Amino acid sequence: MSEPREEPSRPAPERAPAPGRASPPPPMGTFFDKAAYVVAPGTAVIGLLYYFGSLYTDSYYAAFGVPPADLQLSIQTYLAKSPEAVFGPVWFLLVCGLIVLLALGRVGHVLARPGKERQRRLVSRWLLAAGILLVLLGSPSFFGGWSPLRLPEIWWWAQFVPPLMVALGATLAFFAVQQHLQRSAENPRRHEGTTDRMWSAGGALLIGLLAMSLFFGTTRYVGEAGRSAAWEVMDGGHQKSLRVVVYSRIPFKHHAKDITYEDQGAAKGPYRHQYNGFRLLVKSPTRFYLVSHASRWDDHLTVVLPDDNSVRVEMTSSVR
């Protein structure tokens, strides 16, 4: 007599949650999903710090006539220079942003009161118009074109006015868009969904324009800061740079100011030609970049010597 075969078990059908009972919570994200929230912003910040640090350092050495590519600086060196490069603009933008946000927050709080619908609509339209006007006035500076607000070049801060205008205009226009979307949420029957999506897309574009203008203005500032730091070092006579004594096999010609030369004779060996008065500007893997202690920004000259057997360089502290 054959034994009855057991039928394979079938999974029980999922039961719909009973009315009034909360559905089970969604599964938790994986570790990589959680890490993406931390790694992605951190990577963006490090990339910006590297960019601004490299821009500051390259502008600094380019002011001395040193090719930045010849230095072959490391990523750590660029990152170490970034706080000095971006502290000023970041501090300024944070203070200005705080002031603008407090002012717009106060305006939004007043307009949100009952009975302020007409004033709210009128203020939103004026802010949107003013924001678009500021964006249009400042945008030509992004492409090097003519701007109706071109200021005299003697004002060093004039080049930062157009990007700040665009940033302020984008902020005002975005506030107007937020006010419109808030009115749409309060009165959903009076506004169509397609129109609200268009306003939301416009707000996203304004955020991108705001970020671009701030990046553009910060880039300009960092480049100028690097060159200004170089000019200050030139005008100060490189007091904090290392003093250098050069010993050469053969005399070499240069045009640096106040450099003393002495031929010590054959008794001193092959490196008999001594030069005093140099300061070390920077050292690349294959060259020494030297300047005179008496040079200033209006007559600055960089002397380049190869790092080979033709010369010997002795460096001492500049502090006497």
Side-chain angles (χ1 to χ4, degrees):
M1 185 175 181
S2 60
E3 297 180 356
R5 292 181 300 176
E6 296 182 357
E7 296 183 359
S9 59
R10 297 179 180 179
E14 296 182 358
R15 297 181 178 179
R21 181 180 299 178
S23 58
M28 299 296 293
T30 63
F31 170 77
F32 295 102
D33 295 334
K34 298 177 182 178
Y37 291 100
V38 179
V39 175
T43 304
V45 171
I46 292 176
L48 288 175
L49 291 178
Y50 171 78
Y51 172 77
F52 290 126
S54 61
L55 178 62
Y56 178 87
T57 307
D58 293 349
S59 300
Y60 176 84
Y61 288 113
F64 293 105
V66 179
D70 189 39
L71 301 179
Q72 300 181 17
L73 300 177
S74 64
I75 297 177
Q76 291 79 4
T77 302
Y78 286 136
L79 291 177
K81 286 290 185 180
S82 59
E84 182 179 357
V86 301
F87 176 80
V90 169
W91 179 85
F92 176 78
L93 292 176
L94 288 177
V95 172
C96 293
L98 179 62
I99 295 174
V100 172
L101 288 179
L102 290 177
L104 293 180
R106 179 59 181 173
V107 172
H109 178 72
V110 172
L111 296 178
R113 296 174 180 175
K116 296 288 186 178
E117 179 63 27
R118 182 180 178 182
Q119 292 84 346
R120 186 176 179 182
R121 184 166 51 252
L122 183 62
V123 170
S124 298
R125 291 176 180 176
W126 277 104
L127 289 179
L128 181 61
I132 294 176
L133 179 62
L134 290 175
V135 170
L136 293 178
L137 290 177
S139 294
S141 65
F142 291 168
F143 309 98
W146 178 85
S147 176
L149 293 177
R150 185 177 297 275
L151 299 175
E153 296 182 357
I154 58 174
W155 298 345
W156 63 270
W157 48 266
Q159 58 182 323
F160 307 116
V161 173
L164 290 178
M165 287 177 54
V166 174
L168 179 60
T171 303
L172 296 179
F174 180 77
F175 177 78
V177 170
Q178 291 298 107
Q179 291 296 312
H180 175 83
L181 294 176
Q182 187 174 352
R183 293 198 309 270
S184 299
E186 295 173 355
N187 303 292
R189 296 182 179 180
R190 298 178 56 184
H191 301 275
E192 298 180 358
T194 304
T195 304
D196 289 346
R197 285 193 293 270
M198 293 296 295
W199 280 89
S200 299
L205 292 177
L206 289 171
I207 290 295
L209 188 60
L210 173 62
M212 184 185 68
S213 61
L214 295 180
F215 178 80
F216 182 82
T218 305
T219 300
R220 278 192 169 185
Y221 175 88
V222 170
E224 289 295 327
R227 287 184 285 270
S228 298
W231 295 335
E232 291 180 2
V233 172
M234 295 178 193
D235 196 42
H238 300 268
Q239 294 297 322
K240 297 182 180 181
S241 302
L242 295 176
R243 291 184 295 171
V244 175
V245 180
V246 179
Y247 301 91
S248 176
R249 288 178 177 268
I250 58 175
F252 62 87
K253 187 177 181 180
H254 65 86
H255 299 282
K257 294 173 53 179
D258 294 345
I259 301 299
T260 60
Y261 165 74
E262 180 182 358
D263 185 356
Q264 296 181 331
K268 292 294 183 178
Y271 300 97
R272 54 186 289 182
H273 305 280
Q274 178 179 342
Y275 296 84
N276 290 278
F278 281 115
R279 304 264 184 174
L280 178 65
L281 177 60
V282 68
K283 170 70 170 64
S284 75
T286 58
R287 295 179 180 88
F288 293 96
Y289 291 91
L290 308 178
V291 294
S292 171
H293 69 95
S295 64
R296 297 296 182 268
W297 67 270
D298 53 346
D299 60 351
H300 195 274
L301 184 67
T302 302
V303 178
V304 184
L305 296 180
D307 184 10
D308 55 18
N309 292 330
S310 63
V311 296
R312 289 289 183 267
V313 174
E314 180 182 274
M315 289 178 272
T316 59
S317 173
S318 61
V319 180
R320 298 183 182 275

